[in-house]
Each structure stands twice: as C-alpha cells, then as structure tokens.
Amino acid sequence: MQNAKLTLDRDFVIGPIDPRLYGSFVEHLGRCVYGGLYEPGHPAADEDGFRTDVLALVKDLGVTTIRYPGGNFVSGFQWEDSIGPRDSRPVRLDQAWSTTEPNTFGLHEYITWCRKAGVQPMYSVNLGTRGPAEARDLVEYANFPGGSYWSDLRKQNGAEAPFGIKLWCLGNEMDGSWQIGHKTAQEYGRVAHEAGKLMKWMDPDIELVVCGSSASDMPTFVDWENTVLDECYDTVDYISLHRYYGNPTGDTASFLARTVDMDAFIQTVAAVCDAVKGKKHSEKTVNLSFDEWNVWYHSGQQDEEVLQKNKWGRALPLLEDVYTFEDALLVGSMLMTLIRHADRVKIACLAQLVNVIAPIMTEDGGRAWAQTIYYPFLHAARFGRGTSLRPLVASPAYDCSEYRNVPYLDAAAVLHEDGGVTVFCVNRSEEEGISLELDFRAFGELSLAEHILLHHPDVQAVNTADDPDRVRPEPGPGGTFEGGRGRVTIPALSWNVLRFAQK
Ligand code: AHR
C-alpha cells in the first residue's frame, strides 16, 4: 500500500462546471442512428421509432447535450434532404463513411428525440461542400418564428414552434485532409466568420463553436488555431478540441497517463485564445468546446473488413469498439481533466453515444447494454455538478515509456450547491492500493456518505450482451472520516467516487 494525501479547501476554486461538460455526440455513422437511436419495428420502439431501451440508458447516463449530425458526415450533408415527408427524402451516398444514407431520421426526428431524452441540441453545419448561405437558411428553418420561406416550411413539415437550437458548430475537423472540403486555416477562418455572421444575424441568441485542430498531434496544431481565430475571433464563442487515445501496444502505464497530453492540449488552446484576444484588444474570452473525446482503437481492422465486404451498405457495424475495464479508467481520467479545466472548457462531448465508439451498445432487433466506459461518465454527469475545486494532491509518481513523473493518484473535486463535496479519483498503479489521507478541515462538518468503486481484476474485462454486468460499480472499501480529516483506501487500478455530505 502506498500513501498519498489530498487537501481540499472551499477557496481552491477553479470555476463553475457548465452542465454541457457532460455532452455526447450522435453522428450518421454506422449504427449510431439507425439501429441505435432509431429502429422502427424493434420491440422496444415507440411511436416515433425511437428505441426506448436506449432512451432509458441515455437518461440514466445523464447526458446533457447532443452534438449532431457529424462529424465527418456533416461535411457532405445537405440538411434539406433530412426534412419533409419521409418517403420523398432522397437516399444519398455518404462519402465520409462510404455508406448509404436513407435520411429517414433527420432534423425533426433529432429534435423530437432530444426532447424525449431531455438533452439540449448542438447542431453542426456543413462548411465542407457548402457555405454561409445554407448555414443561414438552416438557422432560419430551425429558429425563426414564421412568416419567411424556411420558417414556414418548418411549420408545413409539422413544427409550428421554432426548434430554438442555441448551440451550433461551424463545420467539423476542417484541418484534416480526410475531411470532405478540407481547407487551409485561412480559407476556413474566412468562411467560418462569414457563416457565423449570417447565422447570428438570423438569430443573435445563438452560440458558435469554430473548429480547432482535430488532435493535438496534427502538424498544423497551434498555427491552425492562431490563424482561424485571427479571422473569426469576434464572431465565435468557443473553439473545438478533439482527441482520441488508444493502447495498441498493451502499455497500461503509458495509456493511463495519456491525460498528461490532454491537459497540455487544453492549456495550449486556452493560451492561443488569449493571445489572439490580446492581439485584438478584445474584451471577449473565447472558451473551449472539447466536442469529441474518448478511447478509440479497438475497431480499426474490423472496420476495414466491413467496408471491404459491403461498401455503400446501410447502417454498417463501424467503429464498434468493445471497451475494456482499462478504457473505463482512462475515460474517468479524461472526465477529471475536463472538470479540472471547468474555467475554460464549457462544453464537452463523449464521442459517440450509441454503438459507434460508444458507452451504449445494441443488437439490431435485440438487446441494449452499458459498456465499461458508461459508468465513469454516469458518475461524473450525476455527481460532478457545481463548482470545480482544485485538489492539492501529494502522490507518489511513476515513469513509463511515454511520460515521466506521472502521479499514481489522479483526482478532481466538486463542491455542490448543498455544501456536499464529491471527489473522483483513479489509482493508476497496477500493483498497489493507495491509503489516501484526506484533509477537508475548511468545510465544517462533512461525513463520508458513499464510496463507489469501479474495479476488475482483469484490465481486459468487457461487458457484452450476454454478460452485461461483468464490469459494474460496487460499494468501495471507504474508510474513516471525522472532523474534516480521514483516510480511505483506493484499490490498485480503480475508479472511485467519494461522496461527502453535510452533517
Ligand atoms: O467520431 C468519429 C469521427 O472522428 C468523427 O466523424 C470525426 O469528426 C472524427 O475524426
């Protein structure tokens, strides 16, 4: 057993946690929409064809915001294809994922689904093959009350009241050569500014997310942010970050330390935003939208085989990563990284929601279940509400092949409105538990109300339709806590939620 100490004070404030930090992402990709959210004819489908078993899992997960309809998909998408009577919507070939898109689930279905799931919409416009005019028309269709061509068409299509979509993404990963309509930073910055300008003229209450780099290891990272923001700083409200991690070599120690990279990524993007702010003598702060993040590496080979066999197929089983217990630990650490940057990261989307690199899996016509990564997200979305506090952590650390001096104990802390406190932590050690000393003397009388633990002796353990509960949370060992001080046991390789309540 190793010793570590965590000190917390109500004055160690990072910032308020925006509920949109617990967003997710639904793309027209694989079986995310078709066979995931939407499957008319499924025994659990409701009157709209939405799977109610999936809806129940989504609600339990606590997701707040859903980014849609892509992703790479959006850069070739014509939003007008997705409205009007279903049987007259065109069937299109999606070049992003080499798939046939039937458009039977579109804008109205998305809004209806969001309302049923109790989540806020976050809609991306196509700045790959299209531009400012189509983006403006879409805002008019969605948000204008009536009396104009597009708003009246919305009414004719059955939605009398505006959808009121308040959060919009200006394209997707426009820095990537794989993107339909890939652009240079200057080309993209200009078009993002013009599109954003027309969109805000249509609805001044909307907020806009401009595309940052698709990953921190893109060769254009930093120059991209700098140039794009130089073109559109005054128009946009957030800049996006995307990051996926994997462990193809089975190096658990390095894999669990990947948030060192994520942390630096966030700090660098915030610094670039502030540098452009300074250069422009602007009063406005552009914040961060980490709108694609997750583990993604299990499905690569399988995807190639699926596409070889069935290019241009429908609802193909693509990006169906089956998540291990180890992946859940990194997802927990990624969530804590977001919480520790709550002052700048206001929106984040776990990519994606169902079947495609997702916490929820389904069988076509059959069962739905929670993957390992479902649980840390559920805990953070449920208990990570309030004010993010900076925990002072004194922990032994380790060196691994990719990083040096990585603390074994990774932690984040949240002060709730009712005076309660939640501490999340991961023990990255593969061998030893941690005896964690707690010093919360500044909080008055707290009691340790609950210790939730996610642990499995096999890092490769997964949940499947036949064995959906192999990895699931259980009560943790807890410890002692009295007079603002205590000691708890944090088992080796574990995700923990320590909930403290006012006495
Ligand atoms: O989430 C899967 C894909 O990853 C998205 O379509 C794209 O934006 C990213 O490269």
Side-chain angles (χ1 to χ4, degrees):
M1 189 75 82
Q2 309 193 80
N3 288 307
K5 184 174 180 187
L6 190 151
T7 308
L8 207 58
D9 193 294
R10 54 172 69 246
D11 291 336
F12 298 174
V13 171
I14 294 173
I17 298 171
D18 191 315
R20 296 174 300 175
L21 205 64
Y22 305 117
S24 184
F25 173 35
V26 165
E27 177 167 7
H28 282 252
L29 195 187
R31 298 191 308 120
C32 187
V33 172
Y34 305 108
L37 267 50
Y38 178 70
E39 193 178 346
H42 186 280
D46 67 8
E47 67 285 359
D48 291 309
F50 303 154
R51 284 186 63 154
T52 53
D53 51 350
V54 171
L55 269 171
L57 282 162
V58 169
K59 284 185 191 161
D60 212 34
L61 186 61
V63 172
T64 54
T65 305
I66 298 286
R67 181 168 172 256
Y68 173 89
N72 297 339
F73 170 82
V74 81
S75 296
F77 177 56
Q78 307 197 138
W79 69 267
E80 305 89 329
D81 293 346
S82 80
I83 57 171
R86 270 210 187 91
D87 47 12
S88 48
R89 293 184 200 168
V91 172
R92 300 273 189 199
L93 297 179
D94 162 36
Q95 291 182 300
W97 301 105
S98 303
T99 302
T100 297
E101 169 56 52
N103 280 309
T104 47
F105 183 101
L107 176 55
H108 288 247
E109 290 77 19
Y110 163 66
I111 293 295
T112 307
W113 187 89
C114 283
R115 288 178 183 155
K116 285 191 175 179
V119 301
Q120 293 297 315
M122 176 180 187
Y123 200 96
S124 304
V125 300
N126 173 357
L127 293 186
T129 58
R130 309 190 95 194
E134 294 87 355
R136 177 207 52 208
D137 293 348
L138 175 50
V139 175
E140 180 184 327
Y141 185 90
N143 288 1
F144 201 73
S148 68
Y149 176 78
W150 290 109
S151 57
D152 286 347
L153 188 58
R154 181 197 68 238
K155 291 181 184 213
Q156 199 180 305
N157 287 334
E160 182 62 30
F163 294 144
I165 303 174
K166 293 300 170 198
L167 187 56
W168 296 80
C169 302
L170 296 166
N172 177 69
E173 293 189 352
M174 300 309 301
D175 61 327
S177 57
W178 59 88
Q179 200 67 216
I180 300 171
H182 170 216
K183 292 180 174 43
T184 66
Q186 195 149 26
E187 286 166 351
Y188 171 64
R190 283 289 306 136
V191 82
H193 169 71
E194 288 302 323
K197 188 175 86 181
L198 301 198
M199 291 164 79
K200 281 192 168 172
W201 282 353
M202 189 54 67
D203 183 350
D205 295 334
I206 61 174
E207 290 190 302
L208 298 173
V209 183
V210 73
C211 293
S213 295
S214 350
S216 48
D217 55 5
M218 290 294 286
T220 48
F221 173 48
V222 176
D223 282 346
W224 174 272
E225 279 74 4
N226 201 20
T227 306
V228 167
L229 285 175
D230 206 31
E231 295 292 345
C232 65
Y233 192 88
D234 295 337
T235 319
V236 303
D237 304 284
Y238 307 94
I239 187 161
S240 74
L241 298 84
H242 291 182
R243 199 66 172 109
Y244 297 98
Y245 295 112
N247 186 13
T249 60
D251 177 355
T252 298
S254 295
F255 178 64
L256 295 182
R258 297 254 187 268
T259 45
V260 171
D261 171 79
M262 185 175 177
D263 194 66
F265 189 20
I266 293 172
Q267 288 189 46
T268 306
V269 176
V272 179
C273 289
D274 294 347
V276 178
K277 174 182 180 173
K279 183 178 163 194
K280 291 187 175 288
H281 306 280
S282 175
E283 303 254 300
K284 180 173 103 177
T285 298
V286 167
N287 281 315
L288 277 49
S289 171
F290 212 126
D291 48 40
E292 283 187 38
W293 68 268
N294 202 349
V295 172
W296 174 13
Y297 75 105
H298 296 285
S299 58
Q301 177 65 28
Q302 188 185 311
D303 292 345
E304 279 174 33
E305 287 161 19
V306 168
L307 282 173
Q308 245 165 25
K309 273 195 218 131
N310 200 4
K311 200 172 176 196
W312 307 117
R314 291 186 186 204
L316 299 172
L318 292 172
L319 280 65
E320 299 208 353
D321 280 44
V322 176
Y323 288 115
T324 64
F325 166 61
E326 177 184 83
D327 298 331
L329 293 178
L330 184 65
V331 163
S333 278
M334 293 179 86
L335 284 158
M336 290 191 290
T337 306
L338 295 169
I339 291 170
R340 287 193 300 262
H341 286 285
D343 53 335
R344 293 309 294 266
V345 183
K346 299 294 173 187
I347 304 157
C349 303
L350 173 68
Q352 299 191 6
L353 185 64
V354 189
N355 289 328
V356 172
I357 45 173
I360 299 167
M361 292 297 287
T362 69
E363 294 171 323
D364 289 343
R367 299 166 284 185
W369 66 99
Q371 295 228 59
T372 60
I373 63 168
Y374 182 90
Y375 296 106
F377 190 99
L378 176 148
H379 294 148
R382 191 173 293 175
F383 305 120
R385 302 298 187 102
T387 304
S388 175
L389 297 180
R390 186 170 308 288
L392 249 182
V393 175
S395 162
Y398 65 97
D399 293 340
C400 51
S401 58
E402 294 187 42
Y403 307 94
R404 299 188 68 73
N405 205 22
V406 182
Y408 282 113
L409 188 86
D410 190 18
V414 179
L415 172 63
H416 309 300
E417 248 180 37
D418 66 1
V421 170
T422 294
V423 172
F424 301 104
C425 56
V426 163
N427 180 357
R428 293 177 167 125
S429 172
E430 292 169 68
E431 278 102 35
E432 285 185 81
I434 290 174
S435 172
L436 180 63
E437 185 188 339
L438 302 168
D439 184 344
F440 296 181
R441 277 173 294 175
F443 287 89
E445 281 301 294
L446 288 175
S447 63
L448 177 56
E450 192 178 16
H451 179 180
I452 306 171
L453 177 74
L454 189 71
H455 172 73
H456 198 282
D458 178 4
V459 284
Q460 297 305 323
V462 299
N463 292 344
T464 61
D466 289 332
D467 195 0
D469 292 328
R470 189 155 174 232
V471 181
R472 62 167 302 128
E474 57 192 38
T480 55
F481 196 82
E482 200 52 60
R485 306 193 70 149
R487 189 171 282 279
V488 289
T489 299
I490 308 298
L493 289 182
S494 63
W495 158 258
N496 301 263
V497 184
L498 298 162
R499 299 183 55 223
F500 299 88
Q502 285 287 342
K503 272 189 182 164

